[in-house]
Amino acid sequence: MTDFSATKQKFELPAGVIYLDGNSLGPLPHAAKDRVAQTVADEWGEMLITGWNKAGWMAQPSQLGDRIGRLIGAPQGTVVLGDTLSVKVYQAVAAAIDMVPDRKVILTDSGNFPTDIYMVEGLIKSLNRGHELRIVSPEDIEAALTADVGVLMLTQVDYRTGRLHDMAALTKRAHELGIVTVWDLAHSAGALAVDVTAARADFAVGCTYKYLNGGPGAPAFIYVSPDHIANCAPALSGWLGHEAPFAFDLDYRPGSGIERMRVGTPPVLQMAALGAALDIWDGVDMNAIRAKSIALSEQFIHGIEATCPMLRLASPRDPALRGSQVSFAFEHGYAAMQACIAQGVIGDFRAPDIMRFGFTPLFIDQTDVDRAIAIIAKVMNDQLWDNPAYQIKSTVT
Ligand SMILES: *Cc1c(COP(=O)(O)O)cnc(C)c1O
């Protein structure tokens, strides 16, 4: 059984703050501070360039990838880290398109995160082979799986509403029609029990700075099914995905297995922080995470609905259809969230009117949720949000 009071002790959580935004940026693990300081002083400082070999920096993208693999049901040697999620989306969709050369449609839903859509639009433009990005509403995805679709690209958990797609069922239906699947696990990895192997996902990508707590700018990950990797020609053919980077050959030959999805120099300091964050995950059972996440979000929904009639639930009511976040719609949502943050409850706002709260069992417990409900109820019922200072929009919302 996972001991969540022990995992909570492993994070720096500022006094007086209830952090319901670990779905956007996970908090700092105590150990990450020391690990990064140590990497800077003992490795970069002392070893200089020999750190690539002596401290094993070069092997870390696949070693950390394997540790993330356990959290998403991926076998060893099928996940590698690097770049940002936007770049990994591009790589995965490019490889998927190559697998179905006679089909021109890439299907996604309007709940997808915009960068995923933008990256595919850019990819289509540079390929210039007549591909089309078809965007339908999330509830119409199943019906939109038709034989002209080549690639289905979906984010499993909707960043705004938390609505959860059935990865196994949609992948099965897609495969029946010869469609290749790319799953974005940005709001799934570390949030719920994911099993890319059981779901038979072809490609999966995700980030490590949200539920996995790797820190701002932590590298993304990519999974490629072992059935496909040998036939994937990387669209971003960087030197570290080459079979022999230090042969410095002038012709590109893809590296073995998932290594070919590497591009350039990995972010060593970010990986040090991520390594410390993943130590916390090592003892964690994903079914226990899911059970506690559901308990906390149910507690939150009941508490808010009982005290804040002006807020409208924008997430699915059935927890089985939800990821690990809960959203409420409110006309003055931006100002209301600023007021909540000023009172110590940190969530975030997504345009046009969504107040979003993430439930991360590693460091949020029942007492935190009770306190958060009381504070939000005060902000809403006393209209503390009705203050010009809370109307000013920052760059990051
Ligand atoms: C957070 C998120 C991203 C972010 O992409 P970056 O390149 O890491 O900035 C992309 N896609 C989805 C679905 C996300 O939730």
Side-chain angles (χ1 to χ4, degrees), residues 106-335:
I106 298 141
L107 177 68
T108 192
D109 73 40
S110 53
N112 206 344
F113 192 80
T115 199
D116 297 42
I117 290 172
Y118 303 157
M119 293 307 285
V120 173
E121 284 172 346
L123 171 64
I124 288 173
K125 241 193 210 164
S126 50
L127 285 176
N128 199 20
R129 296 203 312 248
H131 287 94
E132 171 203 337
L133 178 61
R134 189 174 290 165
I135 305 177
V136 303
S137 61
E139 42 301 344
D140 294 337
I141 277 290
E142 199 169 344
L145 289 171
T146 48
D148 61 333
V149 174
V151 176
L152 172 66
M153 172 189 73
L154 288 177
T155 295
Q156 189 190 15
V157 177
D158 186 304
Y159 75 104
R160 273 206 195 97
T161 62
R163 180 208 27 75
L164 176 67
H165 275 308
D166 186 336
M167 180 159 81
L170 287 174
T171 301
K172 182 164 185 282
R173 183 68 194 132
H175 286 170
E176 284 164 5
L177 294 163
I179 299 167
V180 179
T181 57
V182 176
W183 287 96
D184 188 329
L185 306 178
H187 293 278
S188 318
L192 39 111
V194 177
D195 193 334
V196 291
T197 302
R200 313 206 54 198
D202 300 293
F203 296 85
V205 293
C207 48
T208 62
Y209 53 79
K210 291 174 179 159
Y211 291 92
L212 299 182
N213 313 309
F221 65 84
I222 183 166
Y223 159 82
V224 182
S225 155
D227 297 344
H228 306 321
I229 188 67
N231 299 318
C232 279
L236 301 175
S237 39
W239 73 306
L240 289 186
H242 191 281
E243 185 181 46
F246 287 87
F248 296 106
D249 289 339
L250 291 186
D251 58 321
Y252 180 82
R253 294 188 309 281
S256 71
I258 195 69
E259 291 282 322
R260 68 183 58 188
M261 289 300 178
R262 292 175 64 162
V263 182
T265 304
V268 173
L269 300 183
Q270 287 286 178
M271 291 191 301
L274 177 59
L278 290 176
D279 288 349
I280 301 174
W281 281 104
D282 279 347
V284 172
D285 169 8
M286 296 313 292
N287 293 315
I289 280 275
R290 179 66 170 153
K292 185 159 178 213
S293 143
I294 289 177
L296 294 174
S297 54
E298 290 287 280
Q299 180 193 349
F300 184 74
I301 292 172
H302 294 144
I304 292 294
E305 289 192 325
T307 52
C308 305
M310 65 298 276
L311 297 183
R312 179 179 59 78
L313 183 66
S315 296
R317 188 166 293 279
D318 178 356
L321 304 179
R322 225 172 37 224
S324 202
Q325 70 191 57
V326 171
S327 298
F328 280 94
F330 178 57
E331 190 189 348
H332 306 285
Y334 181 78

